[in-house]
Amino acid sequence: MAGDRALHDVDWSTLPVPEDDGAARHLPGRALPDLELAATSGAAINLARLAGRTVVFAYPMTGTPGRALPDGWDAIPGARGCTPHACAFRDLHQDLSRAGAAFVFGFSTHTESEQREAAGRLHLPFALLSDASLSLTRALDLPAMEVGGKTMIKRLALIVRDGAIEHVFYPVFPPDRNAGDVLAWLKAHPA
């Protein structure tokens, strides 16, 4: 449990704050591509075909207890905090649903098996989506970074309505507050 606690207990004041580099400005109003992503529920999810509002929060990677984070991880603005990010959406999941989110998904370039491990360990009431092939990341030209030879999505959250991006939260910092920000936006913009 000590390793798991280290993934949750983060002093945000010691980490570099990500700046808005403009890499998500093109996303509002954009239609999602017609493609399927593997979900931890075992289903294939096509975000473009979901009716109503869908919340999709993207993160670079979830830490695994007992496995070291990539070298220099804490020095990358916005990289640290994936576990608190996902757990905040877990904790506010019912409130997000009541505020109009028909679906909530977490999203990263992790493999399906890595996503399943994280979803089970964190007891998430929603599915995590895998874009290990980078199909959605490339189709939407999502903000990304290279770490240790792997492409990772920069942290952001999307409000999708009937297959089109309605609102974008980017950059996201601190990550554990993003779910609350999304909830406040949904309440202020009822469908």
Side-chain angles (χ1 to χ4, degrees), residues 98-188:
R98 282 192 288 269
F103 304 94
V104 175
F105 297 104
F107 171 73
S108 80
T109 59
H110 275 315
T111 64
E112 289 178 61
S113 62
E114 290 169 319
Q115 294 289 67
R116 275 193 301 276
E117 184 282 326
R121 177 172 38 86
L122 301 176
H123 308 288
L124 302 179
F126 49 80
L128 297 180
L129 306 177
S130 171
D131 190 27
S133 68
L134 304 176
S135 57
L136 183 62
T137 301
R138 288 182 178 138
L140 288 176
D141 192 22
L142 293 176
M145 59 186 172
E146 292 288 325
V147 179
K150 182 174 173 149
T151 301
M152 298 180 184
I153 304 165
K154 291 184 179 180
R155 189 178 319 282
L156 59 86
L158 307 173
I159 307 290
V160 177
R161 186 171 185 176
D162 298 325
I165 299 170
E166 186 175 17
H167 189 76
V168 178
F169 295 84
Y170 177 83
V172 169
F173 190 84
D176 63 341
R177 294 192 196 142
N178 184 223
D181 293 341
V182 169
L183 178 60
W185 191 92
L186 288 171
K187 287 180 175 180

Side-chain angles (χ1 to χ4, degrees), residues 28-95:
R30 185 121 179 230
L32 292 174
D34 188 17
L35 55 86
E36 293 183 338
L37 298 171
T40 54
S41 63
I45 302 295
N46 186 329
L47 295 169
R49 295 185 183 187
L50 297 178
R53 277 194 170 144
T54 300
V55 172
V56 182
F57 68 95
Y59 53 92
M61 62 169 265
T62 53
T64 303
R67 187 183 305 164
L69 294 170
D71 288 340
W73 188 248
D74 286 356
I76 301 169
R80 184 72 187 266
C82 301
T83 297
H85 193 200
C87 289
F89 276 94
R90 175 197 65 201
D91 297 345
L92 291 178
H93 184 254
Q94 289 182 341
D95 295 324

